[in-house]
Amino acid sequence: MPSNKVVFAVIVLSLLAVCPAGAAPAQHAPPDLNGAWWVWAPTDDTPPAGPCYLRGTFALPDDARVKAAEIDITADNLFALYVNGSFAGQGHSSPDLWNQAVRLDVTAMLKGGKNVLAIEAINTASGPAGVILKLVAELADGRRVTLTTNPDWLATDKEVKGWQQAGFDDTHWWQVNVLGPYGSAPWGKFAGNLASVPVRKAGSTAKAAMTWQKVVAAQRVAQRGPAEAEPPPGYIWPEGIVFVGDDCSLYREGPRRSPSYGSLGVTMFTARKSRSFPEHDLPAPIKMGRKLYVLAPARPGTKPQVLLDAGKGVLGSPSVSFDGKSVYVSMAPAGDAFFHIYRVPVAGGAPQRLTAGPFHDIDPVELPDGRIAFTSTRIGTFEEYHSPPSRCLFGMKPDGTDIRPITTTFIFDNEPEVLADGRILFIRSDNFFGRGKVETILHAVFPDGTNGFTEFGLDNGPEYGGRLRAFYCGSPAPMPDGRVAFVSSRGIIIGEPGSPAGQHQEYRLPVGDLAATPDGRLICTISRTSQVTTEQGGRKRTRNELTYDKINIFDPRTEELVAVYDSPGVALHSPVFLGSRPRPPVLAHKVDPATTNDTTATGRLFCQNVRLTRQTTAGWPHVRAIRVLGGKGLTMRSSHAYIVHAGSEIVELGTVPLAPDGSFFVEVPADMGIAFQAVDAEGRSELNEMSW
């Protein structure tokens, strides 16, 4: 095997069942994975990407003679199985056939005493990853032995020679990541789709093993993405870059699954420690540090200069004014319990504090008309799932006065950026009626908060599947040509606002942050992987640790990836172009500012055809009306916020009949979350909208 593979090993601690005499395993029955668990190696990548290795051991009586033994196994997406060091077989060559289990006859490969199952698996797509296995063996004395993948397995991410062998030392391994029992989302039950499964005779087949190595190598090349290269002659370096150093961000502590880490794992749920997240409950910048640096000119050999030092405080989410003369940043100085917005002159001088009060103000960005938009908890409610303060977008004058809300959600709005057309693009999180079904999208509004539209999000059809509709989007970077780049769990995604996912460009790079330059290139941080050894309960454990310590320039047109600044082992993040940029157009306000505090204000909503939807599984022939629900965030917080899902106040605003063409028209309170139910003639719900 290539020496640079990331290897995970897993050991089974016990046999699941030793049963009385029974019939030998059926030769052509459908796969039976009931009782087995989907497992994968613990990883900070969400969803997991690339290869992993799984290892399981179990013992038979020393004098046992195996009469018959078969294994039903599959992986999302590809796998190869070894039994006692010999190649036993592999999955389908197509990654799309993961839901067709493979049955292997391993009778001749088992023996009395210790047996080892070793699985090499690779996740080739952008979705979830998992391995599931069930072994059924009949001994000569009539006993029946069943073994499955299960929560007792252990794992490690360090490749060591001989990891497939029975005598390998596994005392330093982690527990495996258990994803759910057979039949759980997102995989469901698929064995019933198969009429029969041909039985493959297993054995040590060098040719098959070599073919698998080629598959893995090809997948590595496909997933590696553009490689870093030397800048070509005449390469144009950016004027400057601002970034945050002395990283002190909150990260999930390694691949642990202990309940003691449950709170942190929930509140800081990121992919690769990047700024792509499906759930982020803490009301602070998702990336924080102690110092703000300037790299000017932005080219190798330039020494960064400190522009702002927070000392024992913290700062984050920097942005640069359109004229390139000021940097806006969120900072909580030492002794201050709240983040507020500051303006920092690039030419030097003391930072100017723009906001105050018992609120967290983060993610500032200058708007085309000179006002400043930012994220804040000053909306005054608590989010309905874990009850941290809700966050909305607010706007203010350049001097910090005349603060007005732009959005009014009682969940989370984060990381506003200005699109080339003058609208505000931001990350919106939704929780589905307090039931923990979290979804993140890239949403856009006019600067006055009107004409909201989801520009990038999931397109899953009528069934959303698992617990999280995790889109994993973050660090939005509007480009000068109107497109948008953003960080995902897979790397960089670029697309036109409102375009379907099939038309997006995807670049598999281990990026943590993105920012656009005026000439259409992207500034990004690139991660390195190092091994960290810790000791827990007298057992040493080794895991991979990601560090973002390099700033690169990526050109999507040529796929050139050029290093600008490298600081090995010293984490940094949030790089932003420093220089003047063209201002997008100033969009006219559609709301009279004098009426924004009118609590009796209403809005009118027209739906042209409620039946024009992908939610096709509802009982549409029975739908006669639409029930309108309004939602309000709570203003009190439970002392057990991370245990009790507080929910929200939901008001039934009324029911409106559908016109024959499927249209309806309603007048609803302004600045309120709205959701709909499609109901029958007796008011019973046929379909619930799952987000506000």
Side-chain angles (χ1 to χ4, degrees), residues 205-219:
T205 308
K207 182 178 180 180
M210 184 60 67
T211 300
W212 171 255
Q213 290 181 15
K214 291 180 179 179
V215 169
V216 174
Q219 292 297 335

Side-chain angles (χ1 to χ4, degrees), residues 249-373:
S249 307
L250 296 176
Y251 297 115
R252 187 173 52 180
E253 279 287 334
R256 297 182 176 90
R257 294 298 180 266
S258 167
S260 63
Y261 293 89
S263 175
L264 186 61
V266 166
T267 57
M268 285 300 300
F269 191 179
T270 66
R272 301 188 328 273
K273 294 185 178 179
S274 70
R275 277 170 56 190
S276 64
F277 54 88
E279 188 171 350
H280 173 57
D281 287 354
L282 300 183
I286 194 169
K287 291 277 195 173
M288 295 175 282
R290 306 289 185 191
K291 296 178 181 178
L292 185 68
Y293 289 91
V294 170
L295 188 72
R299 64 179 62 200
T302 301
K303 183 179 179 180
Q305 302 297 316
V306 176
L307 183 62
L308 178 61
D309 188 345
K312 294 183 178 180
V314 286
L315 55 84
S317 55
S319 68
V320 177
S321 61
F322 287 106
D323 61 12
K325 296 180 180 180
S326 301
V327 177
Y328 297 100
V329 68
S330 178
M331 182 170 64
D336 194 335
F338 295 94
F339 284 87
H340 292 110
I341 307 301
Y342 290 77
R343 179 190 291 110
V344 186
V346 174
Q352 178 187 5
R353 179 170 171 168
L354 300 180
T355 65
F359 319 105
H360 289 289
D361 300 325
I362 62 174
D363 302 339
V365 63
E366 187 181 45
L367 299 178
D369 64 358
R371 289 175 61 86
I372 300 168

Side-chain angles (χ1 to χ4, degrees), residues 278-452:
E279 188 171 350
H280 173 57
D281 287 354
L282 300 183
I286 194 169
K287 291 277 195 173
M288 295 175 282
R290 306 289 185 191
K291 296 178 181 178
L292 185 68
Y293 289 91
V294 170
L295 188 72
R299 64 179 62 200
T302 301
K303 183 179 179 180
Q305 302 297 316
V306 176
L307 183 62
L308 178 61
D309 188 345
K312 294 183 178 180
V314 286
L315 55 84
S317 55
S319 68
V320 177
S321 61
F322 287 106
D323 61 12
K325 296 180 180 180
S326 301
V327 177
Y328 297 100
V329 68
S330 178
M331 182 170 64
D336 194 335
F338 295 94
F339 284 87
H340 292 110
I341 307 301
Y342 290 77
R343 179 190 291 110
V344 186
V346 174
Q352 178 187 5
R353 179 170 171 168
L354 300 180
T355 65
F359 319 105
H360 289 289
D361 300 325
I362 62 174
D363 302 339
V365 63
E366 187 181 45
L367 299 178
D369 64 358
R371 289 175 61 86
I372 300 168
F374 60 98
T375 298
S376 180
T377 61
R378 60 183 66 222
I379 198 66
T381 60
F382 292 102
E383 179 263 352
E384 60 182 347
Y385 189 16
H386 297 125
S387 293
S390 305
R391 299 191 291 277
C392 295
L393 301 188
F394 283 77
M396 63 181 175
K397 291 181 178 179
D399 60 1
T401 60
D402 192 27
I403 297 178
R404 297 174 179 269
I406 297 175
T407 62
T408 55
T409 180
F410 51 90
I411 316 296
F412 306 134
D413 289 343
N414 287 298
E415 299 188 351
E417 298 286 349
V418 181
L419 290 167
D421 61 12
R423 293 181 299 156
I424 303 174
L425 181 75
F426 58 95
I427 299 171
R428 165 158 287 180
S429 297
D430 254 330
N431 287 342
F432 302 169
F433 291 150
R435 292 187 297 218
K437 306 298 188 292
V438 180
E439 180 172 16
T440 55
I441 58 178
L442 283 171
H443 200 72
V445 296
F446 274 54
D448 63 358
T450 61
N451 282 33

Side-chain angles (χ1 to χ4, degrees), residues 159-214:
E159 181 178 11
V160 179
K161 184 178 180 180
W163 66 277
Q164 304 97 329
Q165 305 305 317
F168 184 77
D169 179 14
D170 53 39
T171 58
H172 57 287
W173 296 344
W174 298 99
Q175 276 195 317
V176 72
N177 185 13
V178 178
L179 306 172
Y182 174 63
S184 60
W187 298 283
K189 290 191 175 183
F190 47 81
N193 297 331
L194 306 178
S196 65
V197 175
V199 180
R200 302 183 188 178
K201 288 289 183 180
S204 180
T205 308
K207 182 178 180 180
M210 184 60 67
T211 300
W212 171 255
Q213 290 181 15
K214 291 180 179 179

